[in-house]
Amino acid sequence: DGRILRLSYSSADPVSQVARSRLETAFAPEYSVERHDVSPRSERVATALALAMPMLLLIMAALSGMYPAIEAVVADRERGTQDTSLVTSAPRWIFPAAKLISVAAITLCSVVGSAVSTIASFAHFAFNLGLDVDFPIGRLLALVPLAASAALVAASLATAAASPARDFKQAQNFATTTNSILFLLPVATMANPEAPISTITGSIPYLNLALVMRDVLLGRPDPFWIAVACGESVLIAIVASAIALRFLRRA
């Protein structure tokens, strides 16, 4: 008989999204449902970015750090330049630290470049369709320290994984195994993108970075978990440098 049910909801609020879906299912047979999204445009864009951007950045960090780390560690051994470096008066710890810093810098540049190109492509696509899109610039800038932590973790693990290798192929196998684990962690957040950070998920390095990035984009950052994620990244870098130094001393 033409009865219409008008649902007002917020697409930026996961709880509101679930409530809208349930109401549509309950009233759809008797009512013609009209949706009305009350969330601001900037919040809609932030929600869309929160679903994909953290996973993209973390996967790019893992990919970007693998081969520079292999080159930094194995190239010295295969080309014989490591012997020249070891006979200098420089302390041993400076070599793995320098390799880690250089790999992390390259990784961070790749991650930031990927983020900028993704946003630019999204903006270009919206412009061609005539859409008025408001990007949450402040929240995107807040991701830079977290992206740096992701680059540090990826570079550290790749460097540590390549350290015991004797040649390029062996280092590639070690680093690929490590990257496979890193890929799974941010992808796991897509299984339930609305799940809050818990004691378990927040204690898993790299996975907590994905969750923290998501919450920052959604406008609900938790300073405690941000500090935990950054602290774990620094701890991983220290342990990875110690592992690399141990194998360097054997040389």
Side-chain angles (χ1 to χ4, degrees), residues 2-186:
R3 291 184 295 178
I4 298 176
L5 177 65
R6 189 169 186 265
L7 291 178
S8 296
Y9 72 102
S10 174
S11 60
D13 185 357
V15 177
S16 181
Q17 287 271 45
V18 172
R20 175 193 59 76
S21 178
R22 290 178 177 176
L23 288 173
E24 284 185 351
T25 302
F27 290 99
E30 293 82 15
Y31 290 85
S32 176
V33 179
E34 291 185 354
R35 302 178 183 178
H36 177 58
D37 192 353
V38 299
S39 60
R41 286 195 303 269
S42 60
E43 293 300 324
R44 300 175 198 175
V45 174
T47 302
L49 290 175
L51 293 176
M53 185 65 74
M55 183 178 64
L56 172 65
L57 294 181
L58 295 182
I59 289 179
M60 282 304 303
L63 282 174
S64 302
M66 183 171 67
Y67 284 103
I70 294 174
E71 282 292 328
V73 174
V74 179
D76 278 349
R77 297 176 184 173
E78 291 187 334
R79 298 168 187 167
T81 55
Q82 178 175 266
D83 297 338
T84 306
S85 301
L86 292 177
V87 297
T88 63
S89 59
R92 286 286 195 271
W93 63 266
I94 201 69
F95 298 109
K99 294 177 186 294
L100 179 58
I101 292 173
S102 62
V103 174
I106 294 173
T107 305
L108 180 59
C109 290
S110 299
V111 171
V112 174
S114 299
V116 172
S117 61
T118 300
I119 295 172
S121 300
F122 187 79
H124 178 71
F125 180 74
F127 176 78
N128 288 337
L129 292 179
L131 302 177
D132 187 8
V133 179
D134 294 332
F135 285 99
I137 302 299
R139 299 180 191 178
L140 290 171
L141 292 177
L143 289 183
V144 174
L146 297 172
S149 297
L152 183 62
V153 171
S156 301
L157 293 179
T159 303
S163 295
R166 296 182 179 180
D167 52 41
F168 184 90
K169 185 175 181 180
Q170 191 177 45
Q172 187 178 31
N173 292 335
F174 292 162
T176 301
T177 302
T178 303
N179 275 357
S180 298
I181 299 174
L182 289 184
F183 290 163
L184 293 175
L185 294 175

Side-chain angles (χ1 to χ4, degrees), residues 153 182 185 200-209 229 232-233 236:
V153 171
L182 289 184
L185 294 175
I200 296 176
T201 58
S203 301
I204 302 175
Y206 218 64
L207 174 60
N208 61 6
L209 279 172
E232 287 179 347
S233 301
I236 290 173

